[in-house]
Amino acid sequence: MSLSRRDFLRMGFLAVCGTVIPLGSLEILKPEAMASLVHPYSKRKRWAYVVDTTKCVGCGMCVKACKLENEIPFNADVQRTWVERYVQLNSGEVIIDSPRGARYGYTSNDPQGRAVEQDEIAKGFFVPKLCNHCEKPSCVQVCPVGATYATPDGVVLVDRKWCIGCGYCITNCPYFARFFHPVVNTADKCTFCYHRITKGLNPACVQACPFGVRKFGKLNDPDSEVFKIINTERVAVLKPEFGNEPHVFYIGLDHIVR
Amino acid sequence: MSEPIEGHLVHGAIWTIKELYTYPNEYLYWTVHIVIYPFLTGLVAGAFVLSSLYHVFGKNELRPVSKFALVFSLALLIMAPTPLLFHLTKPWRALNTMLTPHFYSAISAFIFVYLTYMSIVVAEVWFVFRPFIVQQAREKTGYLGLLYKVLTLGSYDVSERALALDHKISKILAAVGIPAAALLHGYVGFIFGSVKTVPLWKTPLMPFIFLMSAVISGLAICIATYIAVMTFKKTYICLTTVRSMGKTLTLFLIIAFLLESLDIVFHAYTAEEFWAILSEIIFHRFSVNILVLQWGLGMIVPLVLLLIPNAGLIRSFVASCLVVFGVFMMRWDVVIGGQSMSRSLAGFMKFKMPILPTSIDAFREGLIVVIFLLVMPFVLLYVFNKVLPVFRDIFTEEECEIHTKEISRKEAHT
Amino acid sequence: MSHAWRPVAVVFGVILCMMFFRMLFKPSDFKAANGDYKYQYHRVKSEDDWKSFKVKHMGTEFCAECHPDKIEIVKGSGHSTVKCENCHAMFEPSKKGHEKVDLKATKQYLLDIGIDRSRELCKRCHAKISYRPQVVKMIDPNTHNQGIECVNCHDVHRTSFK
């Protein structure tokens, strides 16, 4: 059997391809590639937040402090952080409200302004909300001009001098943590009090909470309380199905929480 | 609790009525301008496709409307981005999209897609009307003469060879323009389809749904405007031309209807978490809008009107007007309806359009601006008609007869 | 040259103008930080804008500069975790009044400090709501001495009766 040079080359080429491709597929069998597709939090050393909803009494001091600290007009019905109330009745009906973002606190049992008898109530609780400072913020992805961005330490900020006010980021936030600032007229959101945390202080809402509901710290930092909680306790995030990888972790979340 | 004084009006609060539980920051941030913007871009795409049918697909019976459709699409194109300027809270920063475009965002490319398409349309207008422009530049004096002289771009070559080249190039541009129009409008659909937080928008079908409704609305508005203008001018209208347009409209109408209903059927069948609130929107809160106005009046009635043989002028006119109205309602239902279900999936928002301009916000998003935006394309068409012979290319009765025979021959052949 | 090139020239002219415009007005510090164009494409100086935002809530230590006695009292009371600013930072202009010392002028302190004696303030934590976590004493505001200010009987700093 005689083999021409061309045939030899062709067969050699096919043989090499034929071995390389299956070998390449073995790549995914490597232990580090097979280890896990689930990672509970960012691998970076970045800021994160823990909310212990079981301790929240709904006083709204955090909302008030946030508004004053960040110069969001107090009377305006937009807020960087707010507290929601969930009341589930014996009938299975769920009543959710957050009157004025709870900046005046919850002072009576009147969800949605309804008079609800105490023995009708199966369970009730308060859930503080704020920007989740996602690892993959969908709001940043859609800004057409690069006026909103994530800092290397994981905080999502808005550039007030560059924002055009199209509202695409607001529409793309699953949590509705964004709004138009009533005075500046650009998109606005929680900054984790960037001016405070970069000076070693806690965010205003964390400082204002008398009950230790809100905790703030760095991930992947062994000294951080937040990191300890996320690593050792059962925590949940809001709306993980959107793939944003939110970095506000909740203790005591319920399935009726939106 | 003491009600606070309305110190600062929040953007969105004047026209949003909240029901049940909506997030505290949740308002209708995208309102009527985001309805008009895709509506106008859709008309552009449709009108351009119509003008290309003659140039590219050799539908000779459409010659009378080809130039008109082209110029009308330019008029609409000029107005298409203006709703966005009214929508932005910082309109003077609009050019930031050009300075620092962030291409991960669907809207950052708008200005580039828009300008590309604009250059194609303007170039085609130039090549199509060049002989006329050159002639006017030679004859007219004064400001108008100067305008035509500028429009010639300094070239007065109207030799046989040059005109043949013009014809060839305009044919190429018309062909290139179709995918560009599809891109422009499919892209507008993508802007909505890629918003993952709004269940009604988040579907890969969105670009195609938008594209099809764009084509039908553009065709329909051209039919309606053409019939109206010609009747007003007391000029003979070749029925074959109108019927040919109606036939194309019917075809696209069926596709558009199928796509839209497919989308809803899919949502209903998969019944994800949001279906409870979405079905409440479709079958209750927006049922008149979606089922009666958008689908009933906007699609099924015109479809029936067009499918009954021997459509006359009045029937075509009515059907076209209904289609345009239906597509406007579709934009409305998608944009306002999509946002009116709260992202908490536990509440609703209602849109109340500001009528009187009581504040800057109420003016920007109010009725006056809406009327201005919807009327301006026709004003521009009027102006263009003063400068260019938009409606002069009409068939005489004999020509009409010839084309009618040609078509019936073709049909008999197939 | 054929006339057909003229529109092409116009288009190129427009493109050149746009590039020139961009060269003139694009902020020099606009970049994709850490090579991350998706999430970190921004004007770098904007971070400094946020860093230089004014801190307003200064915390208990700040108040202790002048009121060490009060701080001591609160520290030993049931209100030890409550910050001064929680109750004393005012959002209603009518209630502000840190009259003897102008904090804004002398200490560059930006909040309005005052005293809120209304029942509403206390009710934020102490109104009885059945599902409120039992971490504080709660009263039913409808039956508990309606119409009287809490501070008439309660010493808020000591969390005891007067």
Side-chain angles (χ1 to χ4, degrees):
Chain A
M1 197 183 98
S2 71
L3 208 61
S4 76
R5 182 184 281 181
R6 171 181 273 189
D7 280 342
F8 178 76
L9 283 176
R10 187 195 282 158
M11 283 170 69
F13 178 72
L14 284 175
V16 168
C17 286
T19 45
V20 162
I21 292 170
L23 277 178
S25 66
L26 284 177
E27 177 76 9
I28 57 162
L29 293 175
K30 275 186 181 170
E32 57 266 41
M34 285 296 285
S36 166
L37 290 173
V38 179
H39 203 271
Y41 44 75
S42 168
K43 290 168 184 161
R44 289 184 293 155
K45 199 163 184 172
R46 60 157 284 171
W47 295 108
Y49 202 101
V50 167
V51 179
D52 185 350
T53 59
T54 56
K55 291 181 188 161
C56 182
V57 306
C59 64
M61 286 299 177
C62 45
V63 186
K64 174 196 158 194
C66 172
K67 281 216 143 183
L68 295 176
E69 178 75 28
N70 292 301
E71 296 175 22
I72 314 295
F74 201 84
N75 286 333
D77 274 328
V78 283
Q79 31 268 315
R80 289 179 171 193
T81 181
W82 66 96
V83 182
E84 294 171 355
R85 164 166 62 187
Y86 290 79
V87 175
Q88 188 176 323
L89 306 183
N90 289 326
S91 65
E93 191 187 348
V94 178
I95 313 174
I96 317 169
D97 73 339
S98 181
R100 310 243 163 229
R103 57 180 181 266
Y104 301 102
Y106 291 93
T107 53
S108 58
N109 181 23
D110 58 344
Q112 290 275 4
R114 277 165 58 174
V116 180
E117 294 297 322
Q118 290 212 353
D119 50 2
E120 276 183 71
I121 295 170
K123 64 177 171 185
F125 50 89
F126 301 98
V127 180
K129 294 257 184 96
L130 67 159
C131 168
N132 285 272
H133 293 275
C134 307
E135 183 76 355
K136 294 174 182 165
S138 54
C139 53
V140 173
Q141 184 185 349
V142 300
C143 178
V145 296
T148 180
Y149 55 94
T151 63
D153 47 0
V155 181
V156 177
L157 298 174
V158 178
D159 184 347
R160 284 183 172 177
K161 291 181 185 147
W162 203 248
C163 171
I164 60 174
C166 64
Y168 208 26
C169 56
I170 301 176
T171 318
N172 262 285
C173 174
Y175 311 99
F176 245 113
R178 285 173 173 255
F179 52 89
F180 278 118
H181 191 288
V183 179
V184 188
N185 262 320
T186 56
D188 205 80
K189 65 182 287 300
C190 163
T191 60
F192 269 168
C193 283
Y194 204 60
H195 55 297
R196 297 175 64 95
I197 60 175
T198 46
K199 293 183 184 78
L201 299 165
N202 264 335
C205 50
V206 176
Q207 194 188 49
C209 183
F211 304 100
V213 173
R214 292 166 174 258
K215 295 175 182 75
F216 183 74
K218 277 236 162 118
L219 276 182
N220 302 314
D221 173 358
D223 303 331
S224 143
E225 189 198 355
V226 161
F227 186 52
K228 209 173 290 165
I229 293 174
I230 294 169
N231 252 351
T232 57
E233 290 182 37
R234 296 183 196 182
V235 290
V237 291
L238 294 167
K239 304 191 183 183
E241 69 273 17
F242 283 102
N244 281 12
E245 298 179 16
H247 272 64
V248 173
F249 297 88
Y250 284 83
I251 300 172
L253 216 53
D254 191 87
H255 72 117
I256 59 172
V257 174
R258 297 283 144 186
Chain B
M1 188 201 305
S2 59
E3 286 294 299
I5 9 138
E6 288 298 321
H8 292 275
L9 212 49
V10 177
H11 182 81
I14 5 172
W15 54 76
T16 309
I17 303 166
K18 296 175 157 214
E19 277 177 68
L20 298 172
Y21 183 65
T22 56
Y23 291 121
N25 294 334
E26 198 166 7
Y27 297 98
L28 291 165
Y29 289 108
W30 282 11
T31 60
V32 64
H33 293 318
I34 309 301
V35 176
I36 298 177
Y37 159 64
F39 180 65
L40 287 183
T41 27
L43 295 178
V44 175
F48 191 85
V49 166
L50 177 59
S51 88
S52 292
L53 285 179
Y54 162 70
H55 283 293
V56 184
F57 297 104
K59 285 196 177 252
N60 287 327
E61 72 275 10
L62 292 181
R63 204 183 78 213
V65 288
S66 146
K67 280 184 183 172
F68 149 70
L70 182 63
V71 172
F72 197 25
S73 101
L74 177 63
L76 289 160
L77 188 59
I78 291 170
M79 288 312 287
T82 42
L84 295 182
L85 291 179
F86 283 100
H87 162 74
L88 296 182
T89 59
K90 300 269 179 196
W92 55 91
R93 290 185 187 166
L95 286 180
N96 284 9
T97 47
M98 227 166 74
L99 294 175
T100 58
H102 182 233
F103 288 113
Y104 273 101
S105 163
I107 33 183
S108 68
F110 172 72
I111 198 155
F112 300 104
V113 176
Y114 176 77
L115 287 178
T116 309
Y117 186 57
M118 180 72 119
S119 53
I120 291 173
V121 174
V122 172
E124 193 180 344
V125 169
W126 191 72
F127 282 113
V128 166
F129 287 101
R130 219 173 61 81
F132 176 82
I133 293 172
V134 170
Q135 181 208 348
Q136 294 293 306
R138 285 197 178 121
E139 287 170 9
K140 288 263 162 58
T141 51
Y143 289 118
L144 211 55
L146 189 67
L147 174 70
Y148 284 115
K149 284 194 179 72
V150 172
L151 283 181
T152 58
L153 299 179
S155 164
Y156 289 81
D157 184 5
V158 279
S159 62
E160 199 92 336
R161 228 178 101 236
L163 289 184
L165 183 65
D166 282 356
H167 191 70
K168 207 169 138 197
I169 290 176
S170 53
K171 205 167 173 173
I172 293 171
L173 283 174
V176 173
I178 294 176
L183 181 70
L184 176 72
H185 204 73
Y187 160 80
V188 172
F190 185 81
I191 291 179
F192 290 95
S194 63
V195 176
K196 59 181 170 187
T197 57
V198 180
L200 186 61
W201 299 352
K202 195 196 73 180
T203 157
L205 282 181
M206 212 43 148
F208 302 102
I209 291 178
F210 264 57
L211 193 55
M212 286 308 133
S213 57
V215 172
I216 60 172
S217 67
L219 283 170
I221 204 166
C222 284
I223 298 175
T225 316
Y226 184 72
I227 294 177
V229 170
M230 286 304 168
T231 315
F232 182 73
K233 284 183 156 190
K234 297 201 177 65
T235 321
Y236 169 74
I237 308 175
C238 177
L239 207 54
T240 312
T241 308
V242 175
R243 280 194 191 144
S244 169
M245 289 192 281
K247 214 167 148 190
T248 319
L249 177 61
T250 319
L251 185 73
F252 281 106
L253 201 55
I254 293 170
I255 302 176
F257 183 71
L258 286 179
L259 278 176
E260 277 178 43
S261 41
L262 176 66
D263 184 38
I264 301 298
V265 168
F266 232 87
H267 279 316
Y269 191 80
T270 53
E272 286 183 60
E273 188 190 13
F274 54 77
W275 175 245
I277 186 167
L278 185 58
S279 59
E280 166 81 8
I281 288 280
I282 295 172
F283 298 113
H284 185 206
R285 283 165 193 265
F286 274 71
S287 59
V288 176
N289 270 10
I290 293 182
L291 301 179
V292 180
L293 299 180
Q294 180 189 327
W295 284 356
L297 268 184
M299 289 186 139
I300 294 166
V301 173
L303 202 57
V304 171
L305 284 179
L306 289 170
L307 281 176
I308 300 172
N310 299 323
L313 283 184
I314 297 178
R315 189 142 40 101
S316 305
F317 181 76
V318 172
S320 306
C321 287
L322 284 178
V323 168
V324 174
F325 172 74
V327 171
F328 186 81
M329 285 323 289
M330 180 259 181
R331 306 288 192 243
W332 182 279
D333 297 337
V334 167
V335 175
I336 309 281
Q339 287 177 99
S340 57
M341 44 187 145
S342 165
R343 222 145 294 178
S344 66
L345 306 183
F348 300 93
M349 284 176 294
K350 256 194 202 139
F351 177 56
K352 192 173 121 267
M353 195 185 352
I355 307 291
L356 295 173
T358 45
S359 67
I360 296 174
D361 263 7
F363 166 73
R364 284 199 302 126
E365 313 252 342
L367 187 66
I368 297 172
V369 172
V370 171
I371 293 171
F372 166 78
L373 289 173
L374 291 180
V375 168
M376 268 314 276
F378 295 96
V379 175
L380 282 181
L381 180 64
Y382 178 80
V383 172
F384 287 156
N385 188 37
K386 293 276 158 203
V387 186
L388 298 170
V390 177
F391 291 106
R392 220 167 288 168
D393 227 359
I394 43 174
F395 282 160
T396 57
E397 281 178 53
E398 293 85 54
E399 278 175 306
C400 184
E401 202 119 313
I402 295 169
H403 284 285
T404 316
K405 275 187 190 138
E406 194 188 330
I407 282 183
S408 49
R409 210 185 58 234
K410 263 189 207 159
E411 271 169 7
H413 194 69
T414 52
Chain C
M1 195 180 75
S2 164
H3 68 277
W5 288 106
R6 284 167 202 252
V8 178
V10 172
V11 168
F12 268 100
V14 171
I15 292 174
L16 279 180
C17 285
M18 277 162 56
M19 284 164 77
F20 186 64
F21 172 77
R22 183 161 188 265
M23 220 171 67
L24 281 185
F25 292 105
K26 186 190 167 185
S28 55
D29 57 339
F30 219 105
K31 64 167 192 192
N34 307 314
D36 184 358
Y37 178 60
K38 193 172 186 181
Y39 296 124
Q40 296 187 34
Y41 182 59
H42 68 293
R43 204 169 53 87
V44 178
K45 283 205 191 78
S46 157
E47 286 173 41
D48 299 330
D49 291 354
W50 282 113
K51 280 180 192 159
S52 61
F53 204 77
K54 289 277 180 304
V55 174
K56 294 176 196 70
H57 288 76
M58 305 293 267
T60 316
E61 299 76 24
F62 174 79
C63 304
E65 286 174 23
C66 303
H67 306 284
D69 48 327
K70 288 265 172 59
I71 305 297
E72 264 327 293
I73 294 169
V74 175
K75 252 186 195 161
S77 78
H79 275 166
S80 57
T81 57
V82 182
K83 315 293 177 301
C84 311
E85 285 149 336
N86 280 7
C87 304
H88 289 292
M90 292 295 128
F91 51 84
E92 281 163 284
S94 60
K95 283 183 180 150
K96 66 180 170 191
H98 193 274
E99 274 140 14
K100 283 181 202 147
V101 180
D102 185 351
L103 289 173
K104 271 188 188 119
T106 57
K107 301 260 183 187
Q108 285 81 51
Y109 183 81
L110 296 163
L111 295 177
D112 292 319
I113 292 301
I115 299 171
D116 185 355
R117 292 194 175 81
S118 70
R119 282 168 74 95
E120 290 303 313
L121 177 62
C122 306
K123 274 162 70 183
R124 281 172 163 237
C125 300
H126 296 285
K128 187 157 188 66
I129 302 177
S130 59
Y131 40 84
R132 183 167 261 174
Q134 308 275 340
V135 287
V136 287
K137 275 187 188 155
M138 290 187 280
I139 51 100
D140 184 346
N142 297 323
T143 54
H144 184 93
N145 300 320
Q146 228 181 347
I148 304 173
E149 283 175 358
C150 311
V151 289
N152 285 5
C153 310
H154 299 278
D155 185 327
V156 188
H157 290 145
R158 289 199 167 77
T159 53
S160 62
F161 287 103
K162 271 185 172 164

